[in-house]
Amino acid sequence: MNCAISGEVPEEPVVSTKSGLLYEKRLIERHISDYGKCPVTGEPHTIDDIVAIKTGKIVKPKPLHTASIPGLLGTFQTEWDSLMLSNFALEQQLHTARQELSHALYQHDAACRVIARLKKERDESRQLLAEAERQLPAVPEVATANAVLSNGKRAVEDGEEGPDAKKMRLGISTEVITELTDCNAALSQQRKKRQIPQTLSSIDSLEKFTQLSSHPLHKTNKPGIFSMDILHSKDVIATGGIDTTAVLFDRPSGQILSTLTGHSKKVTSVKFVGDTNLVLTASSDKTVRIWGSSEDGNYACRHTLKDHSAEVRAVTVHATNKYFVSASLDSTWCFYDMSSGLCLAQVTDDSEKVDYTAAAFHPDGLILGTGTAQSIVKIWDVKSQANVAKFGGHTGEITSVSFSENGYFLATAALDGVRLWDLRKLKNFRTFDFPNANSVEFDHSGSYLGIAASDIRVFQTASVKAEWNPIKTLPDLSGTGKATCVKFGPDAKYIAVGSMDRNLRIFGLPGDDNTEDSAQDS
């Protein structure tokens, strides 16, 4: 019988009353005092759980190798060799630890030097900033006279504007407000006489829509169309891509008119400025760019606007085509003069901090709708820059907002779906549960509503009490499962869709595609 711990014949054998195993008394007593459990079964044990076994005296025979002097010398040599090997391993570990300690001390010294330099630069910057603040009252006159240089660069750079940039803004003047008000009156009068055009595609036509063409407009190494706009008068489509470019595409000919390069990060929003030759782009690089075409048809950047301190998510153009708004994750939206590129007002809500992710002007131009990363929709009075209404109820970031042409309804898209709001009673009257809705868009007549999510849904618009009936579901043929933007063509004759691949897809009636042969998905 051998000990369950040492494997040798015990000198003082004991047995466990719980496990029935045999142990050497001194070994099991020490193990129980240290751990309080059986070393084999793991059961709780105490000294009282072991019972001594009476046996005859056991005499262990001496090992053969210790019975002679040569055997003892061999044993000593083996122990010495083991000791030397262990000592060598410890020396190696000590050497490695010393090297690591030396490297860590060097890094610490370098970090202390960098911190000291940064502190010195910070103190110098604070001193310069304090001097600039004392000179602020004289700056606006200079900024007004020299706001724009001949090459389109901003004369007043970010570093020269002082710590509170809003103090530098000229504000929306009385002349601008009068212009906005006159535009509102004219559009409201026209809207009363509005009739749905007879050339508008019928519901039966929309039900037959299928993919007509696919155009690879953006780079393959950074696929994804993030934003889109359509110039109805010329049937030109603009797309903003993750590859940092915006592309102007002539749908009838199927040709790329121009590729706008200059942004350093993805283009988050792109807008045509009415029937002019101007295009707006916003980007994650914190800038907004105003592009204009030359006589040869190529587009060049006229202004690079750097008023935001974080990613710019949206731009929206006022009905006068003379002003526009940009919305950013820096918790502000800016009102710009189109011709000069000058920021007239930079607005923030002092009552709560929100990051703006979407923006759209009301058709009449005196109301601005904004979506936020905090799931809130805010309605602003453009003349006073006051927040006049706030809608809650969404879950997740607001990805898109769109006003109906009649001015009564607002559609908002978010991660939890799409909600419709009655602007007359300021309440939500319908909800579409489409998870991860990325875009929502009314057509130009206000007759149809398009939603881009995992697929594309088209609805017939109705009143608050009437049902908004689904017309057509278009599949996302990109294979990514994420349609990012949807737009209706002139008279809803086609639907343009952007997805997380590099292709622009056109859906319409079979046989009604007048574009040239287009490249298919690569």
Side-chain angles (χ1 to χ4, degrees), residues 146-389:
N146 303 286
V148 183
L149 301 179
S150 58
N151 61 357
K153 299 290 185 179
R154 296 297 301 277
V156 182
E157 294 299 333
D158 294 344
E160 301 173 358
E161 292 187 353
D164 189 354
K166 290 191 293 184
K167 293 182 180 179
M168 299 289 294
R169 309 306 179 197
L170 300 177
I172 302 178
S173 66
T174 305
E175 291 77 9
V176 174
I177 292 177
T178 301
E179 192 173 6
L180 300 181
T181 304
D182 292 344
C183 177
N184 170 266
L187 292 176
S188 298
Q189 189 66 27
Q190 293 175 10
R191 184 160 292 105
K192 295 178 181 179
K193 303 177 182 179
R194 180 185 66 90
Q195 293 182 352
I196 297 177
Q198 296 180 354
T199 54
L200 183 70
S201 291
S202 65
I203 296 176
D204 292 338
S205 298
L206 288 174
E207 290 176 343
K208 299 176 183 177
F209 272 20
T210 185
Q211 178 172 310
L212 302 180
S213 58
S214 176
H215 309 274
L217 303 183
H218 292 270
K219 298 177 182 178
T220 55
N221 60 339
K222 291 184 178 180
I225 296 176
F226 208 79
S227 58
M228 183 194 308
D229 196 22
I230 299 179
L231 181 58
H232 286 190
S233 61
K234 299 180 181 179
D235 206 357
V236 175
I237 303 174
T239 60
I242 294 179
D243 62 358
T244 73
T245 66
V247 177
L248 303 185
F249 174 75
D250 182 61
R251 192 195 70 87
S253 67
Q255 300 297 317
I256 293 178
L257 299 180
S258 184
T259 299
L260 313 182
T261 58
H263 286 293
S264 60
K265 295 183 179 180
K266 68 181 179 183
V267 177
T268 56
S269 183
V270 58
K271 289 291 181 183
F272 287 105
V273 183
D275 290 330
T276 67
N277 60 348
L278 298 179
V279 177
L280 302 178
T281 58
S283 171
S284 296
D285 63 8
K286 308 177 187 178
T287 67
V288 176
R289 288 177 179 252
I290 303 176
W291 307 80
S293 65
S294 55
E295 295 180 357
D296 58 2
N298 293 323
Y299 279 74
C301 180
R302 295 187 178 180
H303 301 288
T304 299
L305 314 178
K306 302 178 180 180
D307 298 285
H308 289 292
S309 60
E311 176 179 338
V312 185
R313 281 291 190 88
V315 287
T316 178
V317 180
H318 188 267
T320 59
N321 294 327
K322 296 181 180 180
Y323 309 99
F324 72 93
V325 161
S326 64
S328 171
L329 296 182
D330 65 359
S331 302
T332 68
W333 58 266
C334 292
F335 185 91
Y336 287 96
D337 175 71
M338 187 76 69
S339 60
S340 65
L342 186 65
C343 179
L344 302 180
Q346 188 167 15
V347 182
T348 184
D349 190 347
D350 296 330
S351 63
E352 59 180 338
K353 179 178 174 58
V354 291
D355 303 324
Y356 298 105
T357 56
F361 272 111
H362 187 273
D364 291 342
L366 290 183
I367 294 177
L368 177 71
T370 58
T372 69
Q374 289 73 26
S375 311
I376 299 172
V377 180
K378 292 195 170 189
I379 307 299
W380 302 82
D381 178 8
V382 177
K383 293 189 296 183
S384 63
Q385 301 98 61
N387 180 210
V388 294

Side-chain angles (χ1 to χ4, degrees), residues 40-84:
V40 178
T41 63
E43 297 179 357
H45 270 60
T46 63
I47 299 299
D48 297 334
D49 293 329
I50 58 175
V51 178
I53 300 176
K54 295 182 179 180
T55 61
K57 186 177 180 180
I58 299 174
V59 180
K60 293 184 178 179
K62 292 183 179 181
L64 295 178
H65 64 273
T66 61
S68 63
I69 293 177
L72 290 173
L73 291 176
T75 300
F76 294 154
Q77 184 64 50
T78 301
E79 292 294 331
W80 174 260
D81 293 342
S82 299
L83 180 61
M84 289 300 100

Side-chain angles (χ1 to χ4, degrees), residues 87-108:
N87 186 58
F88 177 78
L90 291 174
E91 288 179 351
Q92 290 290 98
Q93 294 178 2
L94 177 61
H95 179 68
T96 301
R98 283 177 174 173
Q99 286 183 327
E100 293 176 351
L101 178 60
S102 176
H103 183 64
L105 291 174
Y106 175 80
Q107 287 183 324
H108 178 266

